[in-house]
Each structure stands twice: as structure tokens, then as C-alpha cells.
Amino acid sequence: YNNAGFIVTGFFHKTPLEKWMANLECNATAQVRITHHFVTKMVDKSLKGAVVFTSSAAACMPSPFASIYGSSKAFLSAFAQNIATELKPKGIDVCVIHPSPVASRFYDKADKIDLMDFFKQFSVEADELPSEFSKAVGRSVWKDVGPTAIIFRFVSKLIDLNFMGLLMGVLGKHLPDYKRYA
């Protein structure tokens, strides 16, 4: 079970590259390394089982002021989907969970971001997640949990991601967060 992750917030160009790279290492690269280590052992020993990742609703939408968080979670979701096709025939299920914001201390050290505060109103309780994981493994590769994740995925089916990115680029400068940190 891969649950490592943290969020760095702020404008991409104003935040030191080292902070972004540490965020990318934890949220994506380290999970690839850990998964490779354990999956190799499972396959070598013909063990059946599951690999579960915690991604985010942010994987499905542009994430202004948290660019590496959103993009690293999108990578993690795509990575899980890709290895699922390789591992299923070997008896290893892969599932990536996209929770809505989780009611936890996850955001305690992040800058105040109005968009995050808005979506935190629809957070899911951390103790709800294990049962959601259990229900999803073997049944789906992607599992959305909570209203934010479900709505984000629904919107991504209705509106092309390219268009969404263009729209956010045009409207972004009008967001209170943009004005506050510009």
C-alpha cells in the first residue's frame, strides 16, 4: 500500500525548485521504486496480492498553486493503470484510490489556498478509506471516493482536459489566490 505524499503550494516560478523536486520524489518517484521492489519479489515468488496507491482528486483537474502535487498524482494514476495491465495476468491486482480531500492534518503546513479550503468542506474521513480500498481491489483500477473526486471525474468526462487547462489559464488571474500571491 503506497500512501506517501505531501503538498507544496505556491506559484511554480516563485517556489524554489528543490521544494518541487522533493514533492515529486515523494509523490511519484519513490512510489515507483517501492512498487518495483515489492512487485518484483511477488512475481519472482508467484505470489498473488494487490498493490494500492493513494492518488487524489487533483489528478483529474488542473491544480493551480499546487502544480507538482496535481501532476504527480496524475502520473501515479496513469502509472497504476499501466502496471495493472501487466500484473493482472500474474494474479496481482492494482488499484489507485482518488479520495476527495481527506479530513486530516495533511494541509496544516500548506499555504492558505481558497480553492483547497472550498473543497475541504467536502472531505472524507480518513477511517472511511480502508473499507473503500477493500471494496475496490480486484473490481476496478481507479476508485473515486467522496464528492470532490466523483465530481472532478464527471467534469473531466464532459469537458476536454485541454479546454479545461485553457479555461483555467484565462480565469486563473481572477482567483483570489492568484491575486493574493502574485
Side-chain angles (χ1 to χ4, degrees):
Y1 175 66
N2 290 286
N3 191 37
F6 70 96
I7 191 168
V8 172
T9 53
F11 278 102
F12 180 76
H13 68 283
K14 288 185 173 184
T15 304
L17 180 60
E18 296 77 27
K19 285 181 83 171
W20 292 126
M21 296 310 293
N23 197 198
L24 184 63
E25 173 67 26
C26 179
N27 292 3
T29 309
Q31 297 200 38
V32 171
R33 293 176 196 274
I34 291 166
T35 301
H36 186 270
H37 174 80
F38 285 103
V39 163
T40 300
K41 290 184 179 300
M42 291 170 75
V43 171
D44 287 349
K45 295 178 180 179
S46 298
L47 297 174
K48 300 194 182 321
V51 176
V52 179
F53 297 95
T54 301
S55 183
S56 169
C60 303
M61 287 285 165
S63 299
F65 318 114
S67 58
I68 295 298
Y69 182 78
S71 59
S72 65
K73 294 302 185 172
F75 166 81
L76 191 61
S77 298
F79 173 65
Q81 190 172 27
N82 282 279
I83 65 170
T85 61
E86 295 178 20
L87 297 174
K88 183 71 171 179
K90 300 192 176 304
I92 301 171
D93 290 309
V94 177
C95 186
V96 60
I97 306 296
H98 299 98
S100 293
V102 178
S104 70
R105 294 179 35 224
F106 180 80
Y107 303 98
D108 286 0
K109 294 185 180 182
D111 295 325
K112 179 182 174 8
I113 304 292
D114 292 336
L115 281 173
M116 277 195 301
D117 286 345
F118 173 76
F119 289 113
K120 284 193 293 187
Q121 297 175 71
F122 311 104
S123 62
V124 295
E125 295 297 323
D127 60 359
E128 292 176 36
L129 297 178
S131 66
E132 292 295 332
F133 301 156
S134 298
K135 287 189 265 182
V137 170
R139 293 183 180 91
S140 67
V141 176
W142 284 47
K143 171 69 174 165
D144 299 318
V145 180
T148 302
I150 292 166
I151 290 168
F152 278 17
R153 278 286 294 264
F154 182 72
V155 168
S156 75
K157 300 295 181 197
L158 296 176
I159 302 173
D160 179 71
L161 188 58
N162 183 49
F163 179 74
M164 180 63 73
L166 291 171
L167 185 65
M168 290 289 286
V170 170
L171 298 177
K173 64 185 175 189
H174 301 291
L175 294 171
D177 295 323
Y178 191 96
K179 292 175 183 176
R180 181 183 307 117
Y181 295 112

